[in-house]
Amino acid sequence: MSMKSVLKARILLSACSGLLLVASVHTVAATRPNHLLPQYQQSVPAARAALHGPLPSVQTVPVSSPEGPRTSISGTPVGQSRKAMLKHAVETAPGVKKSLQERFLSAPLAATAATAATAATAATAATAATAATAATPETYAPTRPPGGIDPATAVPSLWQNATIGQIGAMADGSVQQSDKNQPNGVAGLDAAGRFTAPVAGDVTAATAGSALSGALKRPLSARFAEQPSAGDFGITLDGTSDDSTALQAAKAAVPAGSVVRIPAGVLHLATPLQSETPTLWQINGTTLADGAPITSLGTDVIESTLEGGKYFARGESRADMPPVLRKDLDVTHTGGTTGFVMNLEKGNCTIPAEGAALNDYVWCHSTVLNSSAFGAGQHVAQASLAQRPADALADGKGSRSQIWAGYDEARDETGQASSVAGSMVGREVDVYANGDDPVGWRIGLQLQIAGTSADGTPGKVGKGIAIGNNDATSTYGTLIDAAGRFDTAGIDLSRSTPVNNAPVLNIGANRNLAFSDDHKPHFQFDSAAYTLRYWYDTANLLAIGMQGDVTTSISNAGSGVAWTLNGQAQLGLNLSGLNAPEALRLAAGQTLSWEPTAVVHSGFANGKLTEQVAAGVARTLDTSGNETLPGSLQNSQTIVSLTQPTAPAYVAKGTAAIGLDTTGLTTPEALRVADGQAISWEHTASVQTRYASGQLQDSQNGTPLRMLDASGNETVTGSTRNSGMTTSLNNSAASAITLTGSAGIGVNLTGLSTSNALRLGDGQSVAWEPTAVMTTGYTATGLTDAKGSTPLRQLDSNGNETLAGTITPNAGVHLPTLSRASIKAQPNPAPGVMVFDAEDDAPAIYTSAGWMLVGLSAMP
């Protein structure tokens, strides 16, 4: 083809290109190619060689359309794309062969150097050789043709030398100025190459990704569902409209335990939330109509802010609900820095010198429990549990680490005294309550030790409370200070149970147990002498040795008392168990006082044992056994007072001619017995004689058998035997007790508070005159009054009385008066028994023939 034909083809293509650009405004934009794809990458020298080759011939093909016959390229309808229109123009141009379509439309632009050489058969040999020998490919960069979105862009050389196919491809990928901000067009760009496009309609189906490396794109609907909001369900938060429906719908739409956000606003709920499934509401500045914060949404948990801080709350509860806030930490690692403290929760509260007002109270952690509930449950404001599980030793690694249920530490690092730096308390426990606590359930601090299981082996805690020092220099002013008032005990160990004779209090050897603030009176155990000592200041006043010996030291000679006993006791001082010949030793000239004023006392002086009342000698006993009684101003010579109701006043044992001899006593009363007291006639005190209720009674086993009233009337009802007072003697020729002199009463027992005033042995008797002719005693036949060896009156155990003589009462014999029925009801009466029949007003006597009335006649 001649150069003239080539120029015609180029002119024709330029005209077609203009027509195509005009027509593109009225056609639908087709999909533009991406010039970064491989099919648009071509070596520049090869492309240039192709542009200088002969133009292929163009063949026209008629195409049917509604608008009439149109020209198409390879059967593609014109009007669908700029590329198709360009092909149509090329095919209809005269002199253009179809090989152009085959070479530039059926193959990609990325042709090889050989293809470029074939297309350039009409070019010069130098140009073909240059295209054929090009070895280094260059990256193709798309350009904008004249009239693009940038009018200042110069026409590139590639456009000037482009082939028809390249021109079509570039036109198909170009952006026209008229396409900017138009429907199906392109977005307008700012100077930085960015664009902002308005969004309308539902965009939740669109995808979005994070800028993080490796993040995937996901639909916006999935991202929105991850953070549900009450605003998604139409909540108004204007303080007037009812927001119950929106919150209820949000609660129903999300799974149990989901988090739902509530935007800022004013919440108004006309109906409480109703649902069993829990929801966590994150409230973002929402308040009630009165400006108060929201503290309750049914049984759900609220996460909000209150008073400027983080706030969690649950306003209502159901049975067996989980906690409002739970924190878990499972420590699974090994190794690490020695002494590092790993926390589940850690809070730092710092108060600088100007960080709080003068009277502010700053509580870094506060827990408040308000409980008015009744029942047997326990409500605990704060609880800590440190537990070593049962299988803790299963790995066989030996002893475990220490576990502490609680730890408190208060530190003052100023190095100054508390008077300078300020006071400090490790932990304070306060209990406030009114009224008494009789059951002991108000406990300031309780330490309870128990086994982990009842069926396990007994456990033992080494120390209930251990108080010590972490260094060897610091000391306590007072180790334990009990400064409160108490009405039971300061320290009560009465309910403790020592095992293996363990001491309930152990203060250690050579340590003091003081009894006053000045520490002067105190106890100390001297470990060297193994002696317990009582000190006053520096004086050892009392010492108890390891053998039980007691040593006292009196430093006050004027008024000090070595030993004082107060109170009531059966024995003031009992030395009966002491195996020593001397129970008590007094120095010569010392006395033993018998009453508080020391008026009555005994002492050994001048070879005599002397008993004195005031300065007068009352009785002396010399070394020969001679006793001297100088006399007395008292009612009696000897007065004995007893306060032991179970012990006899006087006990005589042994053998003697007379148990108590008062024959030398020139007093009409040999023995005086108080009203109600008795004299027992044998050792069991069964047979007694006493004066009581205006009668002198002989009784046996407490039953009066014979009674004599003040008028001389005697009543006999029966008797048994008993015992009384015993004296042991070793001299059978001497009297047990001998009284001489003159006295108002021989033996006075009126001050003795015992029912048995005197007791005789079986077979013994009481003589009523000096010759012992008239006696009273108990023998095998009963209680007998005798003259010498002749019984005058006997009373047996059945109450039967036998008289050797006759009864001569001054007022006559009085028979017992009974009814006839009572007389007949007498069980087995003895023959001769006589009673007085009250109904017949006559005596009755019992004979072998039965009861017989005694005939009476009137006294003339």
Side-chain angles (χ1 to χ4, degrees), residues 16 47 50 229 242 282 462 497 556 560 658 773 780:
C16 292
S229 172
D242 184 15
Q282 288 184 338
T497 304
N556 189 346
I658 301 174
V773 173

Side-chain angles (χ1 to χ4, degrees), residues 61-364:
V61 180
V63 179
S64 299
S65 68
E67 300 175 357
R70 300 182 61 182
T71 303
S72 66
I73 300 176
S74 300
T76 302
V78 178
Q80 293 184 1
S81 66
R82 294 175 180 174
K83 191 173 184 178
M85 295 176 64
L86 177 61
K87 290 161 56 178
H88 172 69
V90 171
E91 291 174 353
T92 55
V96 179
K97 296 183 179 180
K98 190 176 181 180
S99 60
L100 182 66
Q101 172 186 349
E102 296 175 350
R103 292 169 57 185
F104 288 98
L105 298 183
S106 62
L109 289 178
T112 62
T115 305
T118 304
T121 55
T124 62
T127 302
T130 301
T133 58
T136 302
E138 296 183 12
T139 303
Y140 168 75
T143 59
R144 303 186 180 95
I149 62 174
D150 186 4
T153 302
V155 178
S157 58
L158 180 62
W159 170 258
Q160 297 173 355
N161 302 320
T163 63
I164 296 299
Q166 291 173 334
I167 293 173
M170 290 187 292
D172 198 19
S174 64
V175 178
Q176 303 300 313
Q177 185 72 23
S178 59
D179 289 339
K180 183 175 68 175
N181 295 328
Q182 296 298 321
N184 290 331
V186 296
L189 302 179
D190 58 14
R194 297 170 302 189
F195 74 94
T196 301
V199 179
D202 184 8
V203 297
T204 58
T207 60
S210 171
L212 299 177
S213 175
L216 302 178
K217 292 185 178 181
R218 295 185 298 146
L220 294 180
S221 59
R223 299 183 67 89
F224 291 155
E226 292 177 354
Q227 289 187 329
S229 172
D232 299 337
F233 299 89
I235 194 169
T236 59
L237 297 174
D238 57 8
T240 303
S241 303
D242 184 15
D243 297 321
S244 304
T245 303
L247 289 188
Q248 197 70 51
K251 187 175 180 64
V254 298
S258 297
V259 178
V260 180
R261 297 177 58 86
I262 299 179
V266 180
L267 182 68
H268 173 64
L269 294 180
T271 303
L273 296 182
Q274 301 291 332
S275 178
E276 294 292 327
T277 59
T279 300
L280 174 62
W281 301 96
Q282 288 184 338
I283 301 177
N284 184 18
T286 309
T287 65
L288 299 176
D290 58 357
I294 300 174
T295 59
S296 176
L297 283 179
T299 59
D300 288 339
V301 175
I302 294 173
E303 179 185 356
S304 179
T305 56
L306 181 63
E307 301 175 352
K310 198 65 172 177
Y311 177 72
F312 289 87
R314 176 188 284 139
E316 301 176 10
S317 65
R318 296 191 307 272
D320 304 325
M321 293 195 73
V324 172
L325 179 64
R326 171 174 169 169
K327 302 176 182 179
D328 290 333
L329 170 64
D330 292 334
V331 181
T332 60
H333 71 276
T334 58
T337 304
T338 302
F340 178 78
V341 179
M342 180 168 291
N343 300 281
L344 171 61
E345 179 182 4
K346 181 177 181 179
N348 291 319
C349 177
T350 303
I351 307 173
E354 301 297 330
L358 180 62
N359 296 320
D360 276 355
Y361 287 83
V362 179
W363 299 49
C364 290

Side-chain angles (χ1 to χ4, degrees), residues 638-644 649 748 751-753:
T638 303
I639 297 176
V640 179
S641 296
L642 301 178
T643 58
Q644 172 58 274
N748 189 355
L752 183 63
S753 60

Side-chain angles (χ1 to χ4, degrees), residues 1 105 133 176 268 292 356 367 391 422 488 506 515 625 652:
M1 180 182 292
L105 298 183
T133 58
Q176 303 300 313
H268 173 64
T367 301
D391 59 350
T488 302
N506 189 353
F515 297 96

Side-chain angles (χ1 to χ4, degrees), residues 662-678:
T662 60
T663 58
L665 183 64
T666 60
T667 178
E669 288 187 72
L671 182 65
R672 176 174 288 187
V673 179
D675 190 6
Q677 291 181 336

Side-chain angles (χ1 to χ4, degrees), residues 236-556:
T236 59
L237 297 174
D238 57 8
T240 303
S241 303
D242 184 15
D243 297 321
S244 304
T245 303
L247 289 188
Q248 197 70 51
K251 187 175 180 64
V254 298
S258 297
V259 178
V260 180
R261 297 177 58 86
I262 299 179
V266 180
L267 182 68
H268 173 64
L269 294 180
T271 303
L273 296 182
Q274 301 291 332
S275 178
E276 294 292 327
T277 59
T279 300
L280 174 62
W281 301 96
Q282 288 184 338
I283 301 177
N284 184 18
T286 309
T287 65
L288 299 176
D290 58 357
I294 300 174
T295 59
S296 176
L297 283 179
T299 59
D300 288 339
V301 175
I302 294 173
E303 179 185 356
S304 179
T305 56
L306 181 63
E307 301 175 352
K310 198 65 172 177
Y311 177 72
F312 289 87
R314 176 188 284 139
E316 301 176 10
S317 65
R318 296 191 307 272
D320 304 325
M321 293 195 73
V324 172
L325 179 64
R326 171 174 169 169
K327 302 176 182 179
D328 290 333
L329 170 64
D330 292 334
V331 181
T332 60
H333 71 276
T334 58
T337 304
T338 302
F340 178 78
V341 179
M342 180 168 291
N343 300 281
L344 171 61
E345 179 182 4
K346 181 177 181 179
N348 291 319
C349 177
T350 303
I351 307 173
E354 301 297 330
L358 180 62
N359 296 320
D360 276 355
Y361 287 83
V362 179
W363 299 49
C364 290
H365 182 78
S366 177
T367 301
V368 177
L369 168 66
N370 293 308
S371 175
S372 300
F374 65 91
Q378 293 181 350
H379 305 162
V380 181
Q382 188 171 5
S384 299
L385 171 65
Q387 178 174 314
R388 182 176 289 116
D391 59 350
L393 302 175
D395 55 8
K397 293 184 178 180
S399 177
R400 308 290 103 166
S401 301
Q402 289 185 359
I403 56 175
W404 297 11
Y407 172 75
D408 294 298
E409 179 178 334
R411 301 176 66 94
D412 185 347
E413 299 182 349
T414 62
Q416 300 296 321
S418 61
S419 59
V420 177
S423 63
M424 184 170 64
V425 178
R427 169 160 289 222
E428 178 179 348
V429 179
D430 296 330
V431 177
Y432 294 94
N434 287 18
D436 198 7
D437 182 20
V439 295
W441 286 350
R442 295 176 188 161
I443 302 173
L445 180 62
Q446 176 172 327
L447 176 64
Q448 187 72 34
I449 306 298
T452 57
S453 61
D455 56 350
T457 58
K460 178 181 178 181
V461 173
K463 295 179 177 63
I465 298 177
I467 302 177
N469 302 88
N470 288 331
D471 57 75
T473 59
S474 300
T475 60
Y476 294 92
T478 300
L479 193 61
I480 297 177
D481 183 5
R485 296 180 300 160
F486 60 90
D487 60 4
T488 302
I491 298 176
D492 188 0
L493 300 174
S494 60
R495 290 188 296 271
S496 61
T497 304
V499 180
N500 299 328
N501 200 28
V504 295
L505 180 63
N506 189 353
I507 64 173
N510 303 317
R511 295 176 182 174
N512 298 336
L513 180 61
F515 297 96
S516 67
D517 292 339
D518 59 7
H519 304 164
K520 287 186 177 180
H522 61 273
F523 267 118
Q524 181 193 67
F525 179 73
D526 185 351
S527 61
Y530 225 74
T531 299
L532 179 63
R533 303 183 185 278
Y534 172 75
W535 298 77
Y536 186 83
D537 204 357
T538 59
N540 184 201
L541 303 182
L542 176 66
I544 304 176
M546 69 179 73
Q547 303 298 332
D549 50 298
V550 178
T551 303
T552 62
S553 174
I554 306 299
S555 59
N556 189 346

Side-chain angles (χ1 to χ4, degrees), residues 433-762:
N434 287 18
D436 198 7
D437 182 20
V439 295
W441 286 350
R442 295 176 188 161
I443 302 173
L445 180 62
Q446 176 172 327
L447 176 64
Q448 187 72 34
I449 306 298
T452 57
S453 61
D455 56 350
T457 58
K460 178 181 178 181
V461 173
K463 295 179 177 63
I465 298 177
I467 302 177
N469 302 88
N470 288 331
D471 57 75
T473 59
S474 300
T475 60
Y476 294 92
T478 300
L479 193 61
I480 297 177
D481 183 5
R485 296 180 300 160
F486 60 90
D487 60 4
T488 302
I491 298 176
D492 188 0
L493 300 174
S494 60
R495 290 188 296 271
S496 61
T497 304
V499 180
N500 299 328
N501 200 28
V504 295
L505 180 63
N506 189 353
I507 64 173
N510 303 317
R511 295 176 182 174
N512 298 336
L513 180 61
F515 297 96
S516 67
D517 292 339
D518 59 7
H519 304 164
K520 287 186 177 180
H522 61 273
F523 267 118
Q524 181 193 67
F525 179 73
D526 185 351
S527 61
Y530 225 74
T531 299
L532 179 63
R533 303 183 185 278
Y534 172 75
W535 298 77
Y536 186 83
D537 204 357
T538 59
N540 184 201
L541 303 182
L542 176 66
I544 304 176
M546 69 179 73
Q547 303 298 332
D549 50 298
V550 178
T551 303
T552 62
S553 174
I554 306 299
S555 59
N556 189 346
S559 60
V561 178
W563 196 278
T564 300
L565 296 179
N566 294 320
Q568 297 178 348
Q570 293 182 0
L571 297 176
L573 181 62
N574 188 357
L575 302 176
S576 62
L578 182 62
N579 186 18
E582 291 185 68
L584 181 64
R585 175 177 290 186
L586 299 178
Q590 291 181 335
T591 60
L592 180 64
S593 297
W594 298 106
E595 38 75 54
T597 63
V599 171
V600 181
H601 57 269
S602 298
F604 185 81
N606 301 322
K608 292 181 180 181
L609 179 62
T610 304
E611 293 181 346
Q612 290 181 249
V613 178
V617 178
R619 183 173 60 177
T620 60
L621 182 66
D622 61 18
T623 56
S624 299
N626 299 314
E627 184 179 25
T628 302
L629 298 176
S632 174
L633 298 178
Q634 304 297 325
N635 291 333
S636 61
Q637 186 68 38
T638 303
I639 297 176
V640 179
S641 296
L642 301 178
T643 58
Q644 172 58 274
T646 60
Y650 183 80
V651 178
K653 295 182 178 180
T655 58
I658 301 174
L660 180 62
D661 190 353
T662 60
T663 58
L665 183 64
T666 60
T667 178
E669 288 187 72
L671 182 65
R672 176 174 288 187
V673 179
D675 190 6
Q677 291 181 336
I679 297 176
S680 297
W681 300 108
E682 39 74 56
H683 65 283
T684 62
S686 297
V687 182
Q688 299 175 345
T689 298
R690 68 163 51 84
Y691 183 81
S693 303
Q695 292 181 333
L696 180 62
Q697 301 175 356
D698 289 332
S699 63
Q700 188 169 3
N701 294 328
T703 302
L705 303 179
R706 183 172 59 180
M707 293 172 290
L708 182 66
D709 60 18
S711 300
N713 301 315
E714 185 180 29
T715 302
V716 179
T717 57
S719 176
T720 59
R721 298 183 298 174
N722 211 319
S723 63
M725 175 178 166
T726 303
T727 301
S728 297
L729 300 177
N730 295 324
N731 190 345
S732 61
S735 301
I737 296 178
T738 301
L739 298 178
T740 60
S742 60
I745 302 173
V747 177
N748 189 355
L749 300 177
T750 57
L752 183 63
S753 60
T754 179
S755 58
N756 292 335
L758 182 64
R759 176 177 292 182
L760 301 180
D762 191 3

